[in-house]
Amino acid sequence: KGMKAAEFDAEDKRRTLESVRSFLAQAENINFILKPHPSEPPEDYAAFDTDYDDNRVRVRVIQGEYMWDVLNGTDVLMQRLSTTAIEAWMFGIDTIELLPMESYDDFFLNPLYSSGSLIASDGETLRQHVNAILAGNGATTEMKSFREESIEYLCHKVDGASHNRIAEAIHKFVTT
C-alpha cells in the first residue's frame, strides 16, 4: 500500500503542476509565487522561474521563506492537500484546492479541509476560480462557516492570548 500511495502522490503532483502550467500559459498581469513544500526537491520547480515572460506573468519560485510572510503578500492561495489553507483562512485569504485526481478516497492524501476552498481539477477551472476571487466572488457563506469552525476546532481560540493560557496551565500543573 505504501508504494501505491507514493505513486498516487507523484501522479497527483504531476497533474497539479500541469494544471498550474496551463493556468500560467493563459494568465496575464499577475505575480505568481510558487513555494514548494520544504521536503520537495527544488529542481522539480526550477523551470517555473524561466518558462514565463515577465512582461506577461511574473513567476518566482521561493524556498525557505516563512509561510506567514508569504501569506501577507497573497491575494489567492492555490494549494494541494496542505494545511497552509487554514493559515490562509486566518489571514482572510481565499483558497483554491488543486485536486486533479478522479478520487482521493483510497489514500491517506485526503483533502480534509477542501470544504473551505474552491476546488480546481485543471488549469481552466483554476483560471475561473482565480478570476472569481479577484472579482470579489470567492468563498461562499458555507465555506466561510466551515473555515471558522475549522479554525476554532484546530486552534481553540485565535485571540493572541494562548501563551497566557498555556503559562497558567503550566503554573497550575507545577504548583498542584
Side-chain angles (χ1 to χ4, degrees):
K1 183 133 180 152
M3 189 51 124
K4 285 182 111 175
E7 290 169 354
F8 181 90
D9 183 50
E11 180 61 15
D12 184 62
K13 178 181 171 181
R14 186 194 68 73
R15 290 185 189 186
T16 296
L17 294 179
E18 182 179 289
S19 297
V20 169
R21 286 185 186 286
S22 172
F23 164 76
L24 290 171
Q26 301 299 317
E28 290 188 24
N29 301 317
I30 65 166
N31 294 318
F32 188 90
I33 298 171
L34 205 155
K35 183 180 184 318
H37 189 277
S39 68
E40 292 183 284
E43 53 272 8
D44 289 357
Y45 299 90
F48 279 93
D49 272 335
T50 58
D51 283 358
Y52 302 95
D53 176 8
D54 277 356
N55 294 316
R56 194 178 54 70
V57 57
R58 187 164 287 128
V59 180
R60 296 296 180 265
V61 178
I62 60 170
Q63 304 261 344
E65 299 294 327
Y66 185 53
M67 191 61 203
W68 286 37
D69 291 337
V70 175
L71 288 172
N72 269 319
T74 300
D75 294 318
V76 179
L77 174 73
M78 300 173 202
Q79 51 87 26
R80 175 182 85 100
L81 305 168
S82 175
T83 56
T84 302
I86 297 160
E87 294 172 284
W89 301 341
M90 293 170 105
F91 279 79
I93 297 169
D94 275 322
T95 54
I96 301 170
E97 177 99 23
L98 293 156
L99 298 174
M101 303 297 275
E102 291 76 25
S103 172
Y104 290 78
D105 294 339
D106 296 333
F107 297 93
F108 71 93
L109 303 165
N110 197 315
L112 294 173
Y113 301 105
S114 60
S115 296
S117 299
L118 295 169
I119 306 298
S121 59
D122 56 34
E124 178 56 26
T125 54
L126 188 55
R127 185 189 64 75
Q128 291 170 7
H129 290 328
V130 168
N131 289 341
I133 290 169
L134 294 178
N137 301 314
T140 64
T141 303
E142 293 80 16
M143 293 166 94
K144 290 176 183 177
S145 293
F146 178 83
R147 292 172 182 186
E148 290 174 18
E149 291 168 15
S150 297
I151 291 167
E152 180 68 27
Y153 173 75
L154 294 167
C155 303
H156 180 58
K157 286 186 179 180
V158 184
D159 61 2
S162 291
H163 62 287
N164 290 332
R165 287 188 293 279
I166 293 167
E168 288 171 14
I170 291 169
H171 178 73
K172 184 177 178 182
F173 177 76
V174 296
T175 58
T176 309

